[in-house]
Amino acid sequence: MTDLAAQRLASLEATRNGPPARTANPFFGVGPITDVVKDEAEGRQNRYDFDRWLETTYRKLDDTGKDLGPFTTAEIGRSMHRGYPADAILLDMMHHIHRYFGFPMSNQMAVGLGGGHSGFTVAIMHLMNPNLDGQKLFVDTPAPETEAAKAGGFFRQSWGTQIVEMQRFAQNGHDDKVVFAGDEGSIPSADELDAMGITLFVGVGHETTGATTYTEEEVKGLLEWLDRDPENRHAMIDATSMLGAMPWSQDVVDGFLTKCNIFTPFQKAIGGISGYFLASFTPAAIQLIEDNQKNPAWAIARQLKLVVPKDAKKPLSGEKTVGLGPFYDPAANKMIGGVINTFSSLAFAETTFGLLRVEKKFGASSVMNQRSADNRQRINDWLAGQDLLRAGVANADKRGAAVTLLAVNDPDITDADVHARIIARSKQLLGYEGLTHPNGWHEAGLDAARYVNAFPGTPGDYRAWMGGIREQDDIVALLENISYAYLRAKIVVLEELLAADGTTFDAPEESGANVRKDDPNRAYRILIADLVGLKFGADGEPDPSEVQAHIEANGGTFTVGAWDGSDLPAGQHFFYQPDLSTNEELTAACCGNQYDAVIAAATFFPDGATFPEGGVRIGAGTGNMACACWGGGDGAGGSAPLMNTPSFNSRATAQMAMKALLKVMPNLDVADMHDRVVKGDFDTGKHLRDYPTEKLEGKRMAVISYGNIGREVAKLAKAFGMSVSIFARENHRKWIESEGYTFAATPEEAAAGADVLSPHTGLGAKGADGTFANAGLVGASVLNALNDGAIIVNYDRGEVIDADALHAAMDSGKVAYAAIDADLFVNDDGSLFGPMVPYRPLIEAFPGRLELLPHAAADTEHTSRVDGAKQAVDQILSCIRYRHVINCKGDVPAGYTSGGAQTVPGVGKVSGSVIANAAADTDALGRLRDASETLAAIWGAIESTRDPIRRAELIASHGEALTLAANTLRTDCDALGLNGGYA
C-alpha cells in the first residue's frame, strides 16, 4: 500500500499544472476528411455554407434556358432521388471522388449500398470464383482462429472468415485456395507471391484496426507482381483509411491507384453521412467480373450485384454485363447505370461539398498524403521524447499514416485488470463523462478525445484517426491529453485500491476565479477620495447613499470621514473623504499606509501615496493616479493593480454634445418666437413663413475617433437621421461600416462635406517635449473641408482643436458656431490657465456664436458618477477578495489574473464577457436563437426564390414573423450590449 500511495503522489506531481490545451476537434474515432470543423459554431456554419453551395451549384432552368432559381436543401430532401438534379448530384460526386484522389481514366468506379463490409463483400463475391482453375488468393491478415488472429477479436477475423466460408460452401471451393499472412498487413515479395501461385491479392489488414500501413517497398513489390501478368493477376485493397494517407512517393501512389482494385465506405474514408461504398476496378478486373458471371460459384444478392441483364425481359436466363451496372465511366464522365437502391441526394451532395472544401483548404490529395506522412512523423518524434506512451506498431515504417495505435508503458502497473481499469477511466476523462474520486470529488471531462478505443487484442490501448486533416498542434494536444488522462485515471484507481484497505484522502480545496483569496482575519481599509453622488440630499450636501448601499449590500462597511486608527473587524471598510484637496491634506492622509486601496475621480495624488492593494479611477484617464505602488499614472509596473472605469460617462457626454448641437441646429429662432408669442405679436398664418429652417435629418456629422464617446455621439446623430462619417484606425473599418457609418482614413476625409464636427480622441500620448499627440489634430485642413456654416462641438479636450485655425474658420464663415467644453483653472493671483484659455478671445470676436463650458459635460451627471463609483467598488473588491483585475490600466501585477474589460452595457466594444453575460440570461439567449434562426430561414427562402409570385407568397406568409424576429433581435442586442466593435 505504501507503494500505491507513492505512485499516487508521483501522478499528482506529474499533473499538478492541470490539463493541457484541448484539441480543436475531439472526434478521433473516425477519419472522414470532410468533417474538419473545430467547434459547434463552425459546424453549423458549415451546414449553412453547404446550403448556399447546393443552391449555387444546382439551378432550375426552364425549357428556354432561363434560370428560375436554385434547388434548395429542403426541396432535394423531399425525396428528390431520381431525375434532375439527383442524377447530376450522383454524377458530380463520382466525378470529384475520381478526380480528387487521382484514379486513372482507365478504371471504372462502382457505387453501392452499405459500408466497408459491403464493399468488401461486393468485391470478393465478384472477383473470387472457386470455379476458376488456378485461382489462388493471398489475404494479408492471419487465418481465422489461429493464435495470431485471435488476438484481434472477431472483427479482425471477419474478413478472412467470409472468404473461408465462401470457399467451403461453394461446390468447387476449398481452403487450400486461400493463403493467409502470418502478420497483420504484410505483403510478400513478388517472387514469394509467384512461388505461392497467387492470382488474387486481398488487402484488408492495414490501417483501420491494426494501425499499420504498407511500406513503399511492399507496394512496389505488389505492383511488380501485378505487372508480370496484368491480365490474370489482381489486387483488391480496403482503402477505408488509405485515401489521402498513402505515405509513398507519387509514382508509387499513381501505380497503386491504377493497378489495384480499391473499395471503401464513403462516411469513413471521405466523410458525410451516406451509407454507401465505392469500388474502383481495373479493366482486367472488369473483364474478370464479366467472365465470372458466365460461370458463377454463388448467387449474389441484388443490392450487391454489379452485373445487370442485357435484356430486361430476361433477368434470369439472359446474358448479364457490367456494361449496365452501377458504374461511373470517368472517360465519358457519365454513369453507366444507376445506383441499385434509392440513395440520398443530400448525402451525396454533402460528400462532394466536403471534398471540394478540403481541396480548397489543403490542396490536392498528394498534399493530403504528405500531411498524413508528416503527422505520422510528428507522432513518432513526440513519442521519442517521453516514456509513458509507445506506438502499438513497433516498426516505424509500418505505422499507419491515418490511424495511430498507442500503448501505455507504465512499469508500476503490472496487473492486467488494474491496467484495464485505468485505461477505461482515462477514456471517461478524455470524453465528457469525467472522473469521480472515492471521496466524491468530480473531475470534469476534458472533452479532448471521444472514442479512442483500440480493438480488442490489438497491441495498444488507444486508437485514433490522425491523418492529413489534422493540424499537428491538434495531434500533440491529443497525445498530451492522453498522457494526462492516464495519470489522472491512475490516481482514481489507486485511490480506490487504497480505500479498500482503509486509506482515504480528502477532496482538494476548491480553486478558480470564485475562490476567496483575501485574509479572512484582516481588516482592509479603502479610501474614497471624491464625490460618489452629485445629487443633493436633504442636508443640502451631495448624497453618497446609493454607493453606500451598494457597498453594504456587497458585505463592506461605509464610514463618512477618515479612519481614526482604531482596530477594525475583519472585512472591507470604505472611508469617504471627498473634501481632500490640498497637497498637504493628501500627503497626510495617503502617504503613511493608512489605506490599502483607493477610489478617486479627479483628485491628484502625491507621488508618495501608498495603496498596496490597488486603486481605481472613476473615469477613463488615470493621469491623476501617480502612485508608485502601481508604477505611476500609466500602471507600468509595480506590485498593485491600477484600474479605471471606462465608458460610464460616455452617454452623458454624448447627450451633452447633442444638447449643444440642438441649441443651434435645427436653426429655428425659438427665443425670438417665444418673445413674440408672449407679446401677442405673432400670427401663425402670416408670420411662420418668416422662420424657415432645416431638420437634422439628411445632414452629415463628422466624428473624430471611434472610442466609447465618439460611438455614442454617432449613435445619437444616426437616431436623428444624420449620416455619420468616422475617422479611426483602419482596423475599425469593418465595425464602423457594420453599424451603418462611413469610414474615413483621415480627419480631412471625415470632415469633407460635413455640417457638424465632433472630436473625441482624447489627448493621446505625451511626447518628450511635453505636447500631446492629438493636440491641434483638428486644424485648418480639417476645418476647411467642412461645409460652409458648419457647427463645431468639442466636448473632448480643448487642445484637440487648433484655436487659431478655428478663429480663421469662424471669421470666413466656414464655421458658424462652436461649443467648447474644456478645463479652466484660476491661479492664486486670479490669472487663468488651462486649455480653455485660447478660446476666450473668440467670445469678443464672434459674439453669440460660441458656448464655452468648464469641462462640465460629464462630471456633473449624477447617475454616471454613481454607476462609475459602484463599478469602482466592485473592481476594488474583486482585486482584494479574488486577485482578479478588471479594466487594468497598464500591467497586471504578479499574483493577479486579468478579468478583461468591463463597460456600461451597450457602451464600447463588445467583449467575451458581454457575450457570456448574454448567454447566461437563458430567456434572452432563447429569444436570440429563435429570432436569428427565424431570420435565417425566411431570408434564405426569399433569396432562393426567384419567381416573383412565389416570392410574394413567401413574404405574405412570413413577413410578419420576419419583422417581429428582426425587431426582437435588434431590441435584445441593444439591451445586451451586442452592438459595436469587438474587443
Side-chain angles (χ1 to χ4, degrees):
M1 289 301 163
T2 302
D3 179 59
L4 295 182
Q7 289 183 47
R8 174 182 175 274
L9 287 175
S11 295
L12 284 169
E13 176 61 23
T15 57
R16 65 185 175 86
N17 292 327
R22 283 189 62 239
T23 56
N25 187 329
F27 300 102
F28 289 86
V30 292
I33 67 172
T34 56
D35 293 344
V36 54
V37 294
K38 66 181 181 181
D39 56 30
E40 183 63 28
E42 187 175 307
R44 289 171 185 264
Q45 186 59 56
N46 192 50
R47 183 84 254 166
Y48 303 146
D49 292 343
F50 168 70
D51 290 346
R52 283 185 174 273
W53 171 83
L54 193 76
E55 292 173 11
T56 301
T57 306
Y58 300 104
R59 311 292 295 183
K60 299 170 185 169
L61 305 177
D62 68 10
D63 62 351
T64 69
K66 180 182 178 182
D67 190 326
L68 303 178
F71 285 97
T72 66
T73 303
E75 284 182 291
I76 295 175
R78 290 195 288 266
S79 300
M80 294 185 67
H81 308 299
R82 289 291 185 267
Y84 187 82
D87 294 342
I89 290 172
L90 170 61
L91 179 62
D92 288 348
M93 181 191 71
M94 299 300 286
H95 165 73
H96 283 296
I97 291 173
H98 193 280
R99 173 194 62 80
Y100 180 74
F101 289 110
F103 290 106
M105 289 292 181
S106 59
N107 294 3
Q108 292 183 357
M109 188 176 288
V111 57
L113 178 69
H117 272 77
S118 295
F120 167 73
T121 300
V122 167
I124 197 66
M125 293 188 81
H126 284 82
L127 293 176
M128 185 173 76
N129 188 352
N131 294 336
L132 287 178
D133 291 336
Q135 188 185 63
K136 193 172 183 181
L137 284 70
F138 180 88
V139 185
D140 72 338
T141 191
E145 299 188 7
T146 60
E147 289 305 311
K150 289 177 183 178
F154 167 74
F155 181 85
R156 287 301 308 133
Q157 298 184 77
S158 64
W159 308 89
T161 298
Q162 185 171 353
I163 292 174
V164 171
E165 288 182 338
M166 290 171 66
Q167 287 285 346
R168 288 181 179 178
F169 300 154
Q171 183 175 2
N172 296 316
H174 197 279
D175 288 8
D176 291 345
K177 295 184 178 183
V178 185
V179 178
F180 288 95
D183 299 315
E184 195 79 64
S186 61
I187 303 178
S189 68
D191 290 340
E192 290 172 324
L193 290 171
D194 271 348
M196 288 184 280
I198 303 301
T199 60
L200 176 59
F201 176 88
V202 180
V204 292
H206 75 289
E207 282 285 9
T208 307
T209 53
T212 60
T213 191
Y214 302 136
T215 67
E216 182 153 335
E217 291 306 313
E218 284 179 316
V219 178
K220 286 181 177 179
L222 179 65
L223 298 180
E224 179 187 343
W225 171 75
L226 289 170
D227 285 341
R228 292 177 182 178
D229 189 357
E231 297 301 319
N232 298 302
R233 292 180 176 178
H234 309 278
M236 183 188 93
I237 311 290
D238 169 23
T240 299
S241 300
M242 186 178 287
L243 293 179
M246 299 182 184
W248 319 311
S249 56
Q250 190 59 45
D251 60 330
V252 174
V253 172
D254 293 340
F256 184 85
L257 292 172
T258 299
K259 299 172 184 178
C260 298
N261 305 287
I262 290 172
F263 67 89
T264 187
F266 286 4
Q267 70 272 25
K268 287 187 178 179
I270 299 169
I273 58 173
S274 57
Y276 277 76
F277 70 88
L278 61 84
S280 172
F281 293 101
T282 65
I286 292 287
Q287 187 59 53
L288 176 62
I289 293 171
E290 190 101 335
D291 294 341
N292 282 342
Q293 294 309 299
K294 295 174 183 176
N295 183 23
W298 38 64
I300 301 177
R302 173 71 182 95
Q303 68 267 31
L304 301 179
K305 208 160 190 175
L306 300 179
V307 292
V308 178
K310 287 185 176 180
D311 185 348
K313 296 179 180 179
K314 296 181 178 180
L316 190 62
S317 61
E319 184 179 353
K320 301 173 181 65
T321 178
V322 293
L324 298 174
F327 281 90
Y328 168 69
D329 180 359
N333 191 31
K334 70 176 184 179
M335 291 299 299
I336 296 174
V339 180
I340 294 173
N341 276 36
T342 300
F343 59 89
S344 166
S345 295
L346 285 180
F348 282 7
E350 185 184 61
T351 298
T352 304
F353 170 73
L355 273 180
L356 296 175
R357 181 170 176 263
V358 166
E359 184 175 31
K360 181 179 180 181
K361 185 170 184 177
F362 298 116
S365 59
S366 59
V367 176
M368 289 291 290
N369 287 334
Q370 185 59 53
R371 284 174 58 91
S372 295
D374 292 344
N375 286 355
R376 179 175 68 172
Q377 185 59 49
R378 184 69 184 90
I379 295 168
N380 290 341
D381 292 344
W382 188 92
L383 292 173
Q386 51 80 61
D387 298 322
L388 181 61
L389 298 180
R390 61 175 174 80
V393 179
N395 184 345
D397 292 333
K398 292 285 289 181
R399 291 173 189 165
V403 180
T404 296
L405 194 62
L406 300 170
V408 172
N409 180 38
D410 186 350
D412 293 329
I413 303 298
T414 56
D415 186 299
D417 289 339
V418 173
H419 175 86
R421 282 171 63 182
I422 297 174
I423 297 300
R425 295 295 186 85
S426 72
K427 291 170 183 174
Q428 289 179 215
L429 188 59
L430 286 169
Y432 50 80
E433 301 98 320
L435 287 176
T436 300
H437 292 247
N439 56 26
W441 177 58
H442 178 76
E443 288 188 61
L446 302 171
D447 203 15
R450 303 188 200 175
Y451 193 78
V452 284
N453 295 342
F455 282 86
T458 54
D461 299 303
Y462 308 94
R463 181 182 64 105
W465 258 276
M466 295 204 283
I469 61 165
R470 298 285 179 180
E471 299 294 343
Q472 291 201 356
D473 287 348
D474 221 28
I475 288 174
V476 171
L478 175 68
L479 297 171
E480 291 177 346
N481 273 276
I482 287 176
S483 298
Y484 176 84
Y486 173 82
L487 293 172
R488 298 303 300 178
K490 180 179 178 181
I491 293 168
V492 170
V493 173
L494 292 176
E495 288 176 350
E496 291 172 345
L497 295 173
L498 289 164
D501 194 48
T503 302
T504 59
F505 302 92
D506 293 333
E509 293 184 3
E510 186 180 0
S511 62
N514 295 323
V515 176
R516 292 283 291 261
K517 297 178 181 178
D518 53 322
D519 185 345
N521 300 313
R522 177 180 168 185
Y524 294 86
R525 302 181 297 274
I526 301 103
L527 170 66
I528 301 178
D530 283 288
L531 293 172
V532 293
L534 303 179
K535 186 185 295 183
F536 293 103
D539 59 359
E541 297 294 328
D543 183 7
S545 60
E546 293 177 73
V547 175
Q548 177 180 349
H550 182 75
I551 290 171
E552 293 170 349
N554 282 276
T557 63
F558 183 88
T559 301
V560 177
W563 173 52
D564 61 9
S566 62
D567 290 339
L568 299 170
Q572 288 77 41
H573 302 268
F574 292 81
F575 294 88
Y576 186 46
Q577 292 182 268
D579 296 325
L580 290 173
S581 61
T582 67
N583 188 69
E584 291 77 10
E585 291 173 335
L586 288 164
T587 299
C590 306
C591 296
N593 295 318
Q594 295 96 321
Y595 298 101
D596 298 297
V598 66
I599 293 174
T603 297
F604 276 79
F605 292 94
D607 292 338
T610 56
F611 302 105
E613 295 292 333
V616 185
R617 197 273 164 130
I618 304 174
T622 53
N624 60 314
M625 307 289 282
C627 177
C629 290
W630 45 71
D634 293 329
S639 59
L642 173 63
M643 297 162 281
N644 60 358
T645 62
S647 83
F648 80 94
N649 61 355
S650 299
R651 287 185 176 138
T653 304
Q655 290 168 18
M656 294 296 183
M658 289 303 294
K659 178 179 181 180
L661 175 61
L662 290 170
K663 287 182 179 180
V664 291
M665 184 184 287
N667 60 341
L668 184 63
D669 193 344
V670 293
D672 183 57
M673 295 174 75
H674 170 77
D675 290 340
R676 293 185 63 178
V677 169
V678 171
K679 295 175 182 178
D681 182 27
F682 202 100
D683 184 307
T684 300
K686 296 179 180 179
H687 300 138
L688 199 59
R689 64 181 184 179
D690 298 332
Y691 294 86
T693 188
E694 295 180 6
K695 61 184 181 295
L696 284 180
E697 184 180 4
K699 298 293 185 181
R700 188 174 186 84
M701 174 182 279
V703 176
I704 311 300
S705 175
Y706 188 60
N708 292 341
I709 300 174
R711 181 169 172 268
E712 289 301 309
V713 170
K715 287 164 63 176
L716 293 176
K718 185 179 180 182
F720 277 98
M722 301 180 76
S723 64
V724 182
S725 60
I726 301 178
F727 160 67
R729 293 187 299 274
E730 177 65 29
N731 62 301
H732 292 296
R733 176 193 287 266
K734 65 180 179 181
W735 303 112
I736 289 170
E737 293 178 346
S738 74
E739 292 199 87
Y741 309 126
T742 300
F743 172 80
T746 64
E748 288 80 3
E749 185 178 328
D755 304 288
V756 182
L757 183 140
S758 185
H760 299 282
T761 63
L763 289 174
K766 192 174 185 179
D769 61 355
T771 60
F772 292 95
N774 293 329
L777 179 67
V778 178
S781 61
V782 176
L783 296 173
N784 288 337
L786 296 166
N787 280 341
D788 291 342
I791 309 299
I792 301 294
V793 180
N794 180 12
Y795 274 34
D796 185 19
R797 297 285 183 166
E799 298 94 326
V800 171
I801 293 180
D802 183 332
D804 291 337
L806 179 61
H807 189 290
M810 295 185 75
D811 190 47
S812 68
K814 176 60 71 173
V815 172
Y817 185 87
I820 312 295
D821 185 37
D823 289 316
L824 181 65
F825 304 104
V826 183
N827 287 310
D828 292 340
D829 62 3
S831 59
L832 302 177
F833 69 98
M836 176 59 79
V837 171
Y839 293 97
R840 296 184 74 250
L842 276 65
I843 292 290
E844 295 183 7
F846 309 106
R849 293 173 59 189
L850 283 101
E851 179 181 73
L852 304 182
L853 299 178
H855 208 61
D859 283 340
T860 56
E861 207 282 304
H862 171 75
T863 302
S864 297
R865 175 61 67 89
V866 169
D867 289 344
K870 288 180 179 179
Q871 183 174 314
V873 168
D874 293 342
Q875 291 175 211
I876 280 292
L877 291 177
S878 177
C879 271
I880 293 175
R881 293 175 176 176
Y882 305 106
R883 291 295 186 261
H884 199 57
V885 187
I886 300 168
N887 291 325
C888 184
K889 182 73 172 180
D891 303 321
V892 177
Y896 291 84
T897 60
S898 173
Q902 177 179 313
T903 60
V904 174
V907 176
K909 295 180 179 179
V910 179
S911 65
S913 61
V914 171
I915 297 174
N917 289 337
D921 185 338
T922 55
D923 290 339
L925 183 62
R927 289 195 305 272
L928 288 168
R929 177 175 180 174
D930 288 345
S932 298
E933 290 178 348
T934 298
L935 290 169
I938 299 174
W939 281 123
I942 291 173
E943 183 191 33
S944 65
T945 304
R946 290 286 187 86
D947 186 296
I949 296 176
R950 298 294 185 211
R951 181 173 282 186
E953 291 173 352
L954 277 173
I955 293 171
S957 297
H958 302 286
E960 180 180 351
L962 184 147
T963 305
L964 181 61
N967 290 343
T968 300
L969 184 63
R970 182 169 54 249
T971 300
D972 277 326
C973 285
D974 287 343
L976 296 167
L978 296 173
N979 291 313
Y982 183 76

